[in-house]
């Protein structure tokens, strides 16, 4: 059976609407960093309700075994958190001459109530963002555009992930690279979400704890 072509120009007419819908959640996320993700989530929910073909690819969860998926994700998330804080963030900030703008999270430091609330939001957003940026855009996108389009989908998804977070220029680059690491993990784990969700949750948990103690 011949492989499906990855070029958008080669898509059959019936695939144009799914192709547009697959990439459309990235638009509000990019144009309105921080708040636009809410519109992106709404588009995601509606698309999953209307397009049966999107559900299996988007929501494929377990890689090999549930416990192994979670363990691999937690280890990856921990390594990514340490590597970002100790290596990647300082390098990017030095290269661009600007700091990652986390001033909007200053209230977390030393405030246990706000820290708990922020952590709950961070953990929930980790799962939702993985479904959106990895499962929906890359997973379903691979079904629409073909396997040959996966590298481009990874780049588009990761860049959009970076721009969707309102942390300034350095923050966009750092977050984009984090998204790239998660996208690679997603691909290596057979495009299954659970390792990525576990990794993203672990990363956000470590970040939330670090913010609380940054007083």
């Amino acid at each position: 059976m011949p492989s499906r072509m990855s070029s958008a120009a080669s898509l059959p007419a019936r695939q144009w609407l799914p192709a547009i819908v697959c990439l459309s959640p990235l638009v509000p996320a990019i144009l309105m960093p921080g708040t636009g993700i809410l519109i992106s989530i709404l588009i995601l929910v509606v698309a999953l309700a209307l397009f049966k073909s999107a559900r299996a690819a988007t929501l494929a969860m377990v890689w090999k075994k549930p416990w192994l998926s979670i363990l691999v994700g937690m280890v990856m998330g921990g390594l990514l958190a340490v590597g970002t804080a100790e290596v990647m963030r300082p390098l990017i900030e030095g290269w661009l001459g600007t700091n990652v703008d986390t001033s909007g999270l200053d209230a977390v430091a030393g405030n246990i109530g706000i820290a708990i609330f922020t952590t709950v939001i961070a953990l929930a957003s980790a799962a939702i963002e993985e479904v959106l940026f990895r499962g929906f855009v890359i997973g379903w996108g691979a079904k629409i555009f073909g396997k040959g389009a996966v590298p481009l989908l990874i780049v588009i998804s990761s860049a959009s992930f970076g721009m969707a977070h309102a942390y300034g220029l350095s923050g966009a680059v750092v977050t984009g690279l984090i998204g790239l690491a998660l996208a690679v993990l997603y691909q290596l784990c057979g495009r299954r979400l659970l390792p990525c969700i576990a990794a993203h949750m672990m990363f956000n948990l470590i970040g939330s704890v670090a913010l609380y103690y940054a007083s």
Side-chain angles (χ1 to χ4, degrees):
M1 184 177 180
S3 60
R4 300 171 71 182
M5 293 186 176
S6 60
S7 171
S10 68
L11 288 175
R14 69 180 184 278
Q15 289 291 77
W16 273 99
L17 180 58
I20 293 171
V21 172
C22 177
L23 299 177
S24 62
L26 301 179
V27 177
I30 292 171
L31 295 181
M32 296 180 287
T35 58
I37 191 69
L38 298 176
I39 300 175
S40 301
I41 293 169
L42 178 60
I43 295 172
L44 168 69
V45 171
V46 172
L48 291 177
L50 295 179
F51 291 87
K52 185 177 180 180
S53 61
R55 296 170 204 163
T58 299
L59 301 174
M61 286 285 170
V62 178
W63 174 70
K64 297 186 182 296
K65 300 286 185 181
W67 67 267
L68 184 59
S69 296
I70 294 171
L71 178 61
V72 168
M74 290 177 67
V75 171
M76 178 64 180
L79 292 174
L80 190 56
V82 173
T84 298
E86 300 298 327
V87 180
M88 182 167 62
R89 178 174 173 172
L91 284 176
I92 296 299
E93 288 178 334
W95 176 45
L96 295 178
T98 60
N99 293 331
V100 176
D101 183 11
T102 58
S103 57
L105 299 171
D106 287 345
V108 175
N111 190 318
I112 188 62
I114 294 178
I116 291 173
F117 176 78
T118 302
T119 301
V120 171
I121 296 298
L123 295 178
S125 67
I128 293 170
E129 288 177 351
E130 288 311 307
V131 172
L132 173 62
F133 288 99
R134 259 59 73 180
F136 192 73
V137 174
I138 301 175
W140 189 33
K143 299 295 183 183
I144 296 170
F145 298 101
K147 293 181 180 179
V150 169
L152 180 58
L153 290 169
I154 287 175
V155 171
I156 292 172
S157 171
S158 303
S160 302
F161 182 73
M163 290 185 282
H165 292 76
Y167 299 139
L169 177 58
S170 290
V173 174
V174 170
T175 310
L177 291 173
I178 293 168
L180 179 61
L182 291 168
V184 171
L185 175 64
Y186 178 66
Q187 184 67 13
L188 290 176
C189 291
R191 294 199 289 273
R192 296 296 188 271
L193 277 177
L194 189 54
C196 298
I197 291 173
H200 199 156
M201 282 185 166
M202 177 60 74
F203 182 92
N204 283 4
L205 178 61
I206 293 172
S208 296
V209 172
L211 284 170
Y212 174 73
Y213 285 105
S215 55

